Amino acid sequence: MRVDLSDTVDVLKANFDIRNVSLPDLKAKAKREAQEYARRRDAEHGCISCPTTYQEPGYWHGGHYLKAETHSGVMLDDMNIHKQCKRCNIDLDGNKEGFRKGLIERHGSEYVTILEERGEATRRYKWDREELIEAAAKYRRLNNFMRNN
Ligand SMILES: [Zn+2]
């Protein structure tokens, strides 16, 4: 299914004077929307990288398998972001080993190979404002859809 995002992009553009919003702020906004999307998509699952299903407000994060700081190209790639517990994401610094194991269990090893290759190929990718706004719009649209269904 293809979702027409043009209206959401227009709304976001109307709300953002992109000349006045810094690139890091746009990046943070797009990232927050992508992370919310991953948490909603994975609502039925526990943590991607450990066995916990513990429930507490704020306990669930949208964790990156390949970190945005080292693999900028997959920062907003939904394959790279999964619902993850706070302990794995913060205390265990992403729990990469558990994350990899969880991805293979849930999606298969080919998924991880594709993601790792894509991550390596786009390690130093530089996002521009338009791309960040479009990514934020895409995930916002999906989040609104999931919130209402
Ligand atoms: Zn965990």
Side-chain angles (χ1 to χ4, degrees):
M1 182 183 71
R2 265 193 82 77
V3 180
D4 178 15
L5 298 168
S6 50
D7 58 337
T8 312
V9 171
D10 289 343
V11 169
L12 275 180
K13 280 182 179 168
N15 288 323
F16 279 133
D17 183 343
I18 63 170
R19 289 164 303 183
N20 293 328
V21 178
S22 71
L23 196 70
D25 284 350
L26 283 176
K27 220 176 258 184
K29 164 136 200 76
K31 223 166 122 181
R32 273 198 308 276
E33 293 287 348
Q35 288 168 312
E36 182 183 335
Y37 167 72
R39 287 196 309 273
R40 289 183 184 282
R41 180 199 60 203
D42 297 350
E44 306 292 310
H45 293 282
C47 179
I48 185 71
S49 50
C50 82
T52 192
T53 53
Y54 184 65
Q55 296 295 343
E56 185 184 276
Y59 190 65
W60 295 109
H61 292 200
H64 286 78
Y65 171 58
L66 301 172
K67 288 174 187 284
E69 295 77 19
T70 56
H71 294 80
S72 61
V74 289
M75 175 182 82
L76 302 173
D77 188 329
D78 60 21
M79 282 180 78
N80 189 37
I81 312 171
H82 283 70
K83 178 177 154 187
Q84 186 176 43
C85 78
K86 188 177 171 184
R87 181 172 170 269
C88 283
N89 192 34
I90 306 293
D91 302 341
L92 300 177
D93 194 27
N95 186 5
K96 191 168 182 190
E97 201 180 311
F99 210 137
R100 190 172 202 281
K101 205 169 148 260
L103 287 176
I104 291 170
E105 274 166 22
R106 198 177 295 174
H107 303 293
S109 58
E110 197 187 344
Y111 180 102
V112 177
T113 304
I114 290 167
L115 175 57
E116 287 174 344
E117 284 174 3
R118 188 185 297 165
E120 282 310 309
T122 60
R123 260 192 110 114
R124 281 174 253 288
Y125 187 76
K126 300 259 189 271
W127 292 85
D128 69 31
R129 290 162 192 275
E130 287 291 312
E131 291 172 320
L132 292 168
I133 289 171
E134 275 174 30
K138 177 183 88 172
Y139 286 120
R140 178 182 283 196
R141 178 67 174 265
L142 290 166
N143 288 331
N144 287 341
F145 179 79
M146 285 193 280
R147 201 178 290 131
N148 297 324
N149 285 278

